[in-house]
Amino acid sequence: REVEHDSQIYRAYQKEAERIERGGGSNLRVRLDFAIKADVQKDIYAARKAAPTREMAEIKEEVAARHELPFVNGKIQIPDARIDYDLPRDPANDIDQGSRTGHQDIEVLTAAYHAGHLRSKAQAGFRNYASSADRSSLTAKIEDDSHLMENILDL
């Protein structure tokens, strides 16, 4: 199952990469969930060590903001992959000389996701993808929130 999920992440990446490049993005770089999680956990640990009495929710919200990750229902939402890219410069409107960058977070939804998990991923603002086989199972789980299916893209 993990191999199938990883191949779906790659297909989602290919679709997003094409969309980003059509919009002028270049120099695409990918970070997978395990690398993002490792960086987030290091920052949580460092903040906890520096101020042990601080509320964990406050620390997590701060770390999420630092990594530009959504904080939904008290949890840091980590995508399956993040695509970082460079944006074209607009000399007429870009005052500084630094590079402009962007990122797009992608998630591949599977039939194993429960309704609450699906809602959190939708609220996170990720570009959500699902295979046609998984879409039918997902639809049954969120029939009360059918509008969530509008934001799930086909693999």
Side-chain angles (χ1 to χ4, degrees):
R1 271 180 17 171
E2 192 64 31
V3 170
E4 174 64 22
H5 185 252
D6 289 351
S7 68
Q8 290 175 339
I9 293 169
Y10 181 68
R11 286 197 302 270
Y13 161 78
Q14 288 177 314
K15 289 186 176 214
E16 283 303 306
E18 185 178 305
R19 186 183 67 78
I20 290 166
E21 289 173 335
R22 272 196 318 268
S26 62
N27 192 24
L28 280 59
R29 302 158 309 274
V30 178
R31 297 187 62 226
L32 297 175
D33 60 349
F34 69 89
I36 298 167
K37 284 177 189 174
D39 289 344
V40 164
Q41 288 302 318
K42 280 186 229 174
D43 284 358
I44 290 172
Y45 176 79
R48 193 82 171 141
K49 190 172 181 181
T53 59
R54 247 177 104 194
E55 290 291 322
M56 184 58 92
E58 181 185 334
I59 290 171
K60 286 182 176 182
E61 192 166 10
E62 179 183 290
V63 169
R66 186 176 318 132
H67 290 273
E68 298 182 53
L69 292 167
F71 189 70
V72 178
N73 298 327
K75 295 182 181 178
I76 300 172
Q77 297 297 314
I78 297 180
D80 285 326
R82 171 171 278 181
I83 306 169
D84 292 307
Y85 54 91
D86 296 332
L87 295 164
R89 295 197 48 73
D90 179 1
N93 294 319
D94 290 341
I95 299 169
D96 64 6
Q97 297 300 312
S99 65
R100 295 178 48 215
T101 61
H103 70 264
Q104 183 62 62
D105 294 328
I106 57 176
E107 181 78 17
V108 173
L109 307 175
T110 67
Y113 282 49
H114 57 79
H117 201 174
L118 291 168
R119 276 188 215 82
S120 293
K121 294 300 181 179
Q123 290 173 340
F126 298 155
R127 295 277 291 179
N128 293 311
Y129 284 86
S131 69
S132 56
D134 286 330
R135 280 182 80 84
S136 60
S137 175
L138 295 171
T139 301
K141 291 179 183 181
I142 56 172
E143 53 189 51
D144 292 343
D145 291 326
S146 59
H147 67 282
L148 294 178
M149 291 305 293
E150 297 167 4
N151 297 321
I152 300 176
L153 304 165
D154 288 321
L155 278 175

